[in-house]
Amino acid sequence: MDKESKRTTIYDIAKLANVSPSAVSSVLNGTWEKRRISQKLFERIMKIAEEQDYSVNVPASLLRRERSNIVGMIVPKYDNRYFGEIAEQFEAMARARGFFPVVTCTQRDPDLEFQAAKELISYQAECLISTGTTDPDRISAFCTTSGVQSINLDLPGKNAPSVISDNHAAALELTQLILDRCAQDLDWNGPLRFVGGRPSDHNTAARLAGFMAAHRDRGISVPKTHIMSTGYSAESAAKVLENCVPEGPTGLFVNSTISLEGIVRWHSKLERNSKLVRYGCFDWDPFGSFLPGNVGMVEQDVTTMLTKAFGLIGNPNSANQQILVPCKLRVF
């Protein structure tokens, strides 16, 4: 049994104190007086927590009595403009509102995400914003137990309010643009290929639905082999297309700027018909307009998303609502 599995939980303390886990949580997060828990029970639970070394193994923020003004953010990557901009604007907005921001990158690893959440709460974060996390509900559940507010950004969850881009509408619009340009530039009306992302992710699923809807509107059937969602990395995008040598006009829907790196790598190595390729990308980078074959990109509205997220902080009525933020299509 590893060290993590031996740590005392609020359920262990509740059993030893012969009280409910919610009573223990209220004592440890400082809301016990509001629940009219007696001073005697408060002292008994605190004594057991100290005896079980709970204050060392579980976030110290659960024992706090005053506000810290710390807001934490988990981001999956720093290596693209979108998440980099989110982190940068988050810090600026937090400071402007009197908060102290703490940001950590977790590389899309669910275990790292959960560990980061625990560490941020141990530093007395009053609110945790999970950006693009793999398992936001696990983090939200832990935050609820710890008496800390949680908000999901970019990817939604079921147990906390979520602020996300309107992926379906933007993907529909981008697909329409790529299809239009294939018809105008190449005199071709065939199905596009969808490259990048993971079908199990909410955002990829929503974008894929918009992609398919745009094809249905034009009576175009998309072969299953054209759905190439094997991951977000540049390597996976390049690999999935390595055996794809265009014999004629080809159109691609690229599902992130990270995947776009792989597309550019593939496109630059084509020995023939490279000028017969048109593509668009769901994500935006200013250098994208200089890429041959790129007809447009979706720019997600980071400022509005973060403004709405900060508007939820301290709002007890936010519940588990999902807020959709429109994107902007940049046409090249």
Side-chain angles (χ1 to χ4, degrees):
M1 184 178 293
D2 57 24
K3 182 179 180 181
E4 180 70 20
S5 64
K6 295 179 180 178
R7 289 183 177 179
T8 302
T9 69
I10 64 168
Y11 302 100
D12 298 324
I13 296 173
K15 186 175 181 180
L16 291 169
N18 196 28
V19 297
S20 68
S22 63
V24 175
S25 178
S26 295
V27 167
L28 296 176
N29 66 34
T31 61
W32 59 278
E33 291 177 307
K34 294 180 180 179
R35 288 196 55 188
R36 298 184 180 180
I37 291 174
S38 69
Q39 179 73 29
K40 184 177 180 181
L41 180 56
F42 163 77
E43 291 176 354
R44 179 154 61 92
I45 291 174
M46 287 298 297
K47 181 179 179 181
I48 293 173
E50 292 171 2
E51 290 174 348
Q52 297 298 314
D53 202 23
Y54 186 81
S55 61
V56 173
N57 291 329
V58 177
S61 62
L62 307 187
L63 306 177
R64 69 178 180 270
R65 296 293 177 269
E66 298 181 355
R67 295 190 60 184
S68 68
N69 287 327
I70 294 174
V71 288
M73 173 176 276
I74 296 172
V75 296
K77 292 280 187 178
Y78 285 137
D79 60 357
N80 78 341
R81 178 173 294 273
Y82 174 58
F83 290 119
E85 184 178 0
I86 285 177
E88 185 173 1
Q89 287 203 35
F90 165 73
E91 292 197 30
M93 287 188 181
R95 291 191 176 97
R97 290 164 171 76
F99 293 111
F100 181 78
V102 179
V103 183
T104 181
C105 180
T106 50
Q107 303 297 322
R108 298 189 189 277
D109 183 322
D111 291 330
L112 282 179
E113 291 167 357
F114 189 64
Q115 184 63 38
K118 292 196 294 184
E119 291 296 330
L120 286 168
I121 292 175
S122 77
Y123 280 96
Q124 301 186 14
E126 296 184 1
C127 179
L128 178 58
I129 300 179
S130 299
T131 305
T133 51
T134 306
D135 191 355
D137 291 338
R138 182 187 183 196
I139 293 173
S140 296
F142 181 74
C143 286
T144 298
T145 300
S146 304
V148 173
Q149 184 181 13
S150 64
I151 298 169
N152 299 314
L153 189 74
D154 181 63
L155 281 175
K158 298 177 182 178
N159 300 328
S162 303
V163 181
I164 64 174
S165 294
D166 190 343
N167 292 280
H168 184 280
L172 176 65
E173 191 176 9
L174 177 61
T175 305
Q176 291 171 337
L177 171 65
I178 304 168
L179 289 169
D180 285 343
R181 289 295 294 274
C182 285
Q184 295 168 13
D185 300 348
L186 308 175
D187 193 26
W188 178 70
N189 295 290
L192 309 179
R193 298 172 187 269
F194 187 101
V195 183
R198 289 190 294 256
S200 59
D201 285 351
H202 172 277
N203 289 356
T204 295
R207 293 170 193 175
L208 184 55
F211 172 87
M212 297 299 290
H215 282 80
R216 283 197 303 271
D217 290 344
R218 303 188 185 208
I220 301 173
S221 178
V222 180
K224 291 184 178 180
T225 54
H226 278 40
I227 308 305
M228 302 174 164
S229 300
T230 58
Y232 285 99
S233 71
E235 290 72 20
S236 65
K239 184 175 180 58
V240 78
L241 285 172
E242 64 182 358
N243 295 321
C244 179
V245 180
E247 296 299 332
T250 300
L252 308 172
F253 180 111
V254 187
N255 194 27
S256 75
T257 50
I258 299 174
S259 297
L260 181 60
E261 294 178 28
I263 299 301
V264 172
R265 190 183 309 165
W266 164 79
H267 188 254
S268 66
K269 293 180 179 178
L270 291 178
E271 296 180 356
R272 65 179 186 276
N273 294 335
S274 63
K275 293 183 179 181
L276 297 181
V277 176
R278 295 292 182 274
Y279 58 87
C281 180
F282 200 114
D283 262 347
W284 177 76
D285 191 288
F287 292 104
S289 61
F290 298 102
L291 297 175
N294 190 11
V295 301
M297 306 182 81
V298 170
E299 182 178 7
Q300 301 184 69
D301 191 346
V302 171
T303 300
T304 298
M305 291 172 70
L306 284 170
T307 298
K308 291 186 177 296
F310 274 104
L312 295 172
I313 295 178
N315 181 359
N317 299 317
S318 59
N320 301 334
Q321 64 178 301
Q322 187 176 113
I323 300 173
L324 295 179
V325 177
C327 303
K328 179 179 180 179
L329 179 63
R330 290 181 172 267
V331 180
F332 305 141

